[in-house]
């Protein structure tokens, strides 16, 4: 463990975002705090509001869209000073930033969508009525939205359509991660019935990759789209044609949103276990955070962070002798790297000999 801080709330109720030299997180139900990445020291602590529906870092600013009050706040990342705040319609959700425009709204069809000037929060455009949109994504020169059988790429400057796609299956629900970018011109859409569809910029029609076992979190890393199965385990497929590349059966319930790290995928379980899955899905490193009920993991620039029940912190995957600590109390609770259990891996690629995937 490098450092740790009490949240005074559940880890899954805390939104956070990692920057080049700091971490900004929501804690104590109504506070927004900026911590130094290196040691967790508090840079600033300001009153914000209840659980954020969106939090984004852009340059030397952080933008936050809380559940209440009905304000979009832009805060100086260096000092915590408010640069501007813009009133929002009640139930405003979704937050995406492209260039100098902030796009909000459309969550669950409750509100219109609007584009605001990043410099001062002034409104550039607003749709004439409420719009239903899945979670928005800044991508391919615009902001990707959609609902039902349609995906739409909006021009952030004026809200007009840059592109529109008719999908073979309706998009997943409004709270799920609906779009997974593969590159700057192609994306995978998460649709109903646990299916995936791929489409991109250009004249090609969207292509259905296939339907899979029920899954929760989904992402892209090193040429494969991975899915965290609703049961226990992971499945990775080729984003070009949907064929299975590898699958893993896990023996514990995994936390949501595993993340790319090093040359693999970092995953955590509800009991504090953390594993790094290699390119073939085998565990190549394993550590534990004793006594923590993990809710989320994050990685940025080599730094590793976790949110758990009542606590947030930074950790490293390394032999115990190389892992620095900030206090004796922290040292007593440091993660233990242990030899890993071999996961059962099934895939279309060659499987290494037994034992070759652990260290």
């Amino acid at each position: 463990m490098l450092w740790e801080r009490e949240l005074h709330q559940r880890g899954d109720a805390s939104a956070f975002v990692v920057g080049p030299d700091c971490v900004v997180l929501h804690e104590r139900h109504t506070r927004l705090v900026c911590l130094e990445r290196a040691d967790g020291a508090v840079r600033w602590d300001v009153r914000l509001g209840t659980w954020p529906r969106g939090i984004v870092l852009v340059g030397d600013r952080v933008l936050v869209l809380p559940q209440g009050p009905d304000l979009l706040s832009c805060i100086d990342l260096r000092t915590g000073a408010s640069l501007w705040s813009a009133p929002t319609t009640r139930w405003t959700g979704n937050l995406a930033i492209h260039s100098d425009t902030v796009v909000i709204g459309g969550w669950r069809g409750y509100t219109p969508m609007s584009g605001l000037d990043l410099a001062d929060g002034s409104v550039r455009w607003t749709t004439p009525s409420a719009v239903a949109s899945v979670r928005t994504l800044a991508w391919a020169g615009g902001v990707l939205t959609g609902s039902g059988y349609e995906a739409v790429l909006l021009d952030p400057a004026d809200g007009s359509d840059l592109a529109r796609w008719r999908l073979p299956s309706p998009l997943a629900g409004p709270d799920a991660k609906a779009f997974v970018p593969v590159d700057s011109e192609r994306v995978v859409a998460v649709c109903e019935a646990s299916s995936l569809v791929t489409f991109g910029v250009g004249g090609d029609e969207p292509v259905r990759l296939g339907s899979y076992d029920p899954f929760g979190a989904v992402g892209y890393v090193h040429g494969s789209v991975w899915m965290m199965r609703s049961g226990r385990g992971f499945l990775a497929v080729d984003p070009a044609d949907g064929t299975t590349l590898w699958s893993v059966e896990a023996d514990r319930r995994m936390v949501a949103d595993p993340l790319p790290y090093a040359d693999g995928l970092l995953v955590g379980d509800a009991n504090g276990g953390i594993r790094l899955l290699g390119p073939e899905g085998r565990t190549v490193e394993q550590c534990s955070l004793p006594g923590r009920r993990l809710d989320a993991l994050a990685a940025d620039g080599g730094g590793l962070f976790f949110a758990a029940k009542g606590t947030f912190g930074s950790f490293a995957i390394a032999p115990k002798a190389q892992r620095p600590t900030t206090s004796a109390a922290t040292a007593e609770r440091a993660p233990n790297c242990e030899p890993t259990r071999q996961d059962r891996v099934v895939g279309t690629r060659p499987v290494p000999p037994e034992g070759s995937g652990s260290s």
Side-chain angles (χ1 to χ4, degrees):
M1 185 73 62
L2 301 180
W3 53 263
E4 189 169 13
R5 177 180 175 84
E6 290 187 5
L7 289 174
H8 301 284
Q9 66 186 37
R10 300 191 317 275
D12 60 1
S14 177
F16 65 92
V17 62
V18 181
D21 62 354
C22 65
V23 181
V24 179
L25 71 153
H26 183 258
E27 63 175 54
R28 290 170 286 161
H29 304 286
T30 60
R31 309 296 295 188
L32 192 71
V33 180
C34 182
L35 306 176
E36 301 293 342
R37 276 182 54 144
D39 57 9
V42 176
R43 181 184 295 184
W44 47 259
D45 181 338
V46 299
R47 186 173 183 84
L48 174 78
T50 55
W51 172 71
R53 292 196 174 104
I55 176 169
V56 178
L57 288 182
V58 52
D60 59 0
R61 304 176 178 206
V62 57
L63 279 87
V64 190
L65 187 63
Q67 181 173 318
D70 298 324
L71 289 173
L72 172 64
S73 297
C74 180
I75 298 171
D76 190 313
L77 191 59
R78 297 161 299 184
T79 66
S82 175
L83 299 176
W84 54 260
S85 61
T88 59
T89 305
R90 190 182 182 193
W91 307 117
T92 296
N94 292 331
L95 172 62
I97 302 174
H98 186 280
S99 185
D100 60 352
T101 304
V102 184
V103 178
I104 60 174
W107 177 59
R108 295 185 177 180
Y110 292 147
T111 69
M113 295 187 73
S114 299
L116 283 66
D117 192 315
L118 177 61
D120 58 12
S122 59
V123 178
R124 290 180 167 177
W125 55 266
T126 299
T127 58
S129 58
V131 176
S133 174
V134 296
R135 196 184 305 180
T136 51
L137 172 71
W139 172 77
V143 173
L144 190 58
T145 74
S147 178
Y149 286 89
E150 282 197 319
V152 183
L153 186 65
L154 296 180
D155 186 335
D158 59 12
S160 62
D161 292 0
L162 293 174
R164 186 177 289 265
W165 296 268
R166 179 71 178 178
L167 306 177
S169 301
L171 288 163
D175 298 326
K177 182 178 182 179
F179 299 122
V180 179
V182 172
D183 55 38
S184 61
E185 296 188 344
R186 182 152 292 274
V187 72
V188 168
V190 179
C191 296
E192 291 181 357
S194 300
S195 62
L196 299 179
V197 171
T198 182
F199 62 90
V201 177
D204 294 342
E205 292 294 319
V207 175
R208 189 171 181 273
L209 297 178
S211 291
Y212 306 92
D213 293 337
F215 59 85
V218 61
Y220 176 80
V221 60
H222 300 298
S224 65
V225 175
W226 55 263
M227 291 162 273
M228 186 172 73
R229 289 167 166 163
S230 296
R232 291 173 173 172
F234 299 89
L235 172 68
V237 301
D238 191 319
D241 57 17
T243 56
T244 298
L245 299 176
W246 53 264
S247 64
V248 176
E249 295 178 6
D251 61 351
R252 294 181 179 179
R253 183 178 68 82
M254 311 307 292
V255 298
D257 292 339
L259 68 153
Y261 179 73
D263 291 326
L265 191 67
L266 199 68
V267 302
D269 64 57
N271 297 324
I274 297 175
R275 287 181 287 171
L276 178 62
L277 304 182
E280 305 295 339
R282 287 187 176 273
T283 300
V284 296
E285 183 65 85
Q286 181 168 338
C287 295
S288 64
L289 298 171
R292 282 98 172 162
R293 294 180 57 184
L294 294 178
D295 291 308
L297 298 172
D300 182 83
L304 293 172
F305 305 88
F306 72 91
K309 182 180 180 181
T311 186
F312 180 90
S314 176
F315 69 99
I317 296 181
K320 269 194 290 189
Q322 298 178 11
R323 188 178 298 108
T325 58
T326 57
S327 68
T330 300
E332 291 176 359
R333 304 178 68 190
N336 297 315
C337 288
E338 301 170 349
T340 63
R341 173 190 60 79
Q342 280 295 326
D343 299 301
R344 183 181 174 190
V345 181
V346 181
T348 56
R349 294 174 177 172
V351 178
E354 187 72 20
S356 64
S358 301
S359 61

